[in-house]
Amino acid sequence: SVKQEQVRCCHHQDYMITASKEKTRLTADLQRAISNHEFAVYYQPIIDLTNDTIAGAEALVRWHSPTRGLVSPLDFIPVAEDTGMIVDIGKQILLQACTDTKLQIDSGRWPTNFLLHVNMSVRELLHPGYISRVKEILAITQLPAANLTLEITESRLVSQPLLTNQLLGELRDLGIHIAIDDFGTGYSSLAYLTQLQFDALKIDRSFVSQMLDSENHAAIVAAIITMTAKFNADIVAEGVETAEQAAHLKQLGCRYAQGFYYSRPKPLAEWDIGNSA
Ligand code: C2E
Ligand code: CA
Ligand code: CA
Ligand code: CA
């Protein structure tokens, strides 16, 4: 009935108003978080399956908000990307991660060939001056470019393929490595992959988690590993949660793995390199 339609319509509007009010609040809180440096970097080890040692770590942002508590990146990265605030947040994260890694290497806690992985949004990559900023951060922290891998999500690459690919090439010219994140979840074609500038692929967690229950998922994981080797790129399996998954990946020739089975992401103070792998 008309009455019902109106009610539904009003509920919908209420919902929209509430959602947009929350987005406005979140945007203001994030702006404050940037000025007050409320972001922390957690690190999750990346394991070399050929010798079961820690080869590197992925830096993952956490927001310690005075009013919201510990906020997951899943709850603010999308808004930060929408509003462009990801540019300032990403700058703080990269500076912190490079500073930490340089210190860990210099003090002998991490090896000199440690692989630091940092997430990069397409929005950041496309921001004018991004590459010179990355260069500047490496210069300030004195971290060699060879220690740094920037991870970019495959599904976000498709909008401006030529430009993003050119920018990825410029980063690689600096000696930085590029990893394609969440591989297998996007819609980019395999033909696109032949033209993409990258050094490593990260197999998405969804394939790894279903690998032992589904032959189709197992086949995809095996195919990605074989293909990546032919591309002369490194391979990292994400979301490894069990010994069985680790053993299977090893058997398939997967070089690197990451997941709760080895360690959750942790602040540096809680890292104990001797115990994690
Ligand atoms: P991602 O880059 O795919 O990062 C991996 C996510 O999987 C992390 O979630 C990590 O904690 C989680 N994870 C790792 N191992 C396991 C596992 O064995 N099982 C399960 N269930 N989960 C696992 P987190 O830290 O909540 O980050 C979520 C996403 O937020 C990241 O996904 C990334 O897309 C984004 N993100 C995080 N930090 C940053 C950052 O500094 N910059 C940007 N642009 N994005 C970031
Ligand atoms: Ca990532
Ligand atoms: Ca990922
Ligand atoms: Ca992801």
Side-chain angles (χ1 to χ4, degrees):
S1 70
V2 172
K3 186 84 192 282
Q4 256 175 347
E5 266 311 306
Q6 277 171 345
V7 169
R8 204 177 300 147
C9 161
C10 291
H11 278 296
H12 182 62
Q13 262 180 358
D14 279 355
Y15 170 76
M16 300 259 288
I17 289 165
T18 310
S20 91
K21 268 188 183 158
E22 166 52 17
K23 194 177 168 185
T24 307
R25 229 180 346 248
L26 183 58
T27 304
D29 284 1
L30 272 175
Q31 201 60 63
R32 218 161 16 235
I34 292 168
S35 333
N36 297 345
H37 294 264
E38 291 168 11
F39 302 104
V41 184
Y42 281 35
Y43 295 90
Q44 184 178 41
I46 296 171
I47 309 302
D48 185 340
L49 290 175
T50 60
N51 56 14
D52 281 329
T53 60
I54 296 176
E58 179 175 1
L60 294 156
V61 65
R62 298 291 181 267
W63 175 19
H64 291 284
S65 160
T67 51
R68 296 165 182 266
L70 186 65
V71 189
S72 153
L74 297 172
D75 295 328
F76 68 89
I77 292 287
V79 171
E81 286 177 340
D82 268 8
T83 55
M85 286 186 288
I86 192 65
V87 171
D88 286 328
I89 296 172
K91 180 160 103 183
Q92 291 186 12
I93 300 309
L94 186 63
L95 179 61
Q96 186 67 55
C98 291
T99 303
D100 286 348
T101 302
K102 173 67 175 160
L103 220 92
Q104 293 291 101
I105 291 174
D106 283 354
S107 63
R109 284 188 290 267
W110 286 353
T112 51
N113 59 355
F114 193 87
L115 306 167
L116 168 67
H117 282 232
V118 179
N119 292 286
M120 163 178 68
S121 297
V122 168
R123 184 86 195 243
E124 290 175 83
L125 180 63
L126 293 175
H127 189 78
Y130 175 72
I131 290 170
S132 45
R133 163 106 54 65
V134 171
K135 221 162 135 179
E136 189 182 276
I137 289 176
L138 289 175
I140 292 168
T141 61
Q142 290 291 296
L143 183 75
N147 288 104
L148 180 63
T149 299
L150 293 171
E151 298 190 358
I152 191 156
T153 301
E154 178 210 358
S155 58
R156 311 250 170 86
L157 282 175
V158 285
S159 62
Q160 298 190 61
L162 289 179
L163 179 56
T164 46
N165 208 29
Q166 185 204 316
L167 294 167
L168 293 180
E170 287 178 31
L171 288 168
R172 292 180 85 210
D173 288 343
L174 298 178
I176 294 165
H177 288 179
I178 300 298
I180 306 301
D181 205 355
D182 303 340
F183 184 72
T185 59
Y187 299 98
S188 61
S189 71
L190 290 173
Y192 178 46
L193 199 60
T194 63
Q195 287 155 46
L196 200 59
Q197 301 253 11
F198 70 95
D199 305 278
L201 276 191
K202 298 189 81 174
I203 308 174
D204 190 68
R205 187 171 80 219
S206 58
F207 297 106
V208 174
S209 66
Q210 295 174 80
M211 178 178 66
L212 296 177
D213 308 316
S214 145
E215 279 182 23
N216 289 349
H217 286 86
I220 288 175
V221 170
I224 294 174
I225 292 169
T226 306
M227 181 190 71
T228 308
K230 293 256 163 74
F231 273 83
N232 275 322
D234 279 327
I235 183 90
V236 186
E238 295 192 302
V240 177
E241 295 184 346
T242 68
E244 291 71 30
Q245 289 167 348
H248 190 74
L249 288 163
K250 228 180 253 193
Q251 202 187 358
L252 290 175
C254 179
R255 175 84 192 262
Y256 298 106
Q258 197 183 336
F260 294 169
Y261 172 61
Y262 301 103
S263 172
R264 288 185 178 257
K266 288 187 291 194
L268 208 52
E270 286 170 31
W271 254 61
D272 188 337
I273 198 154
N275 291 336
S276 300

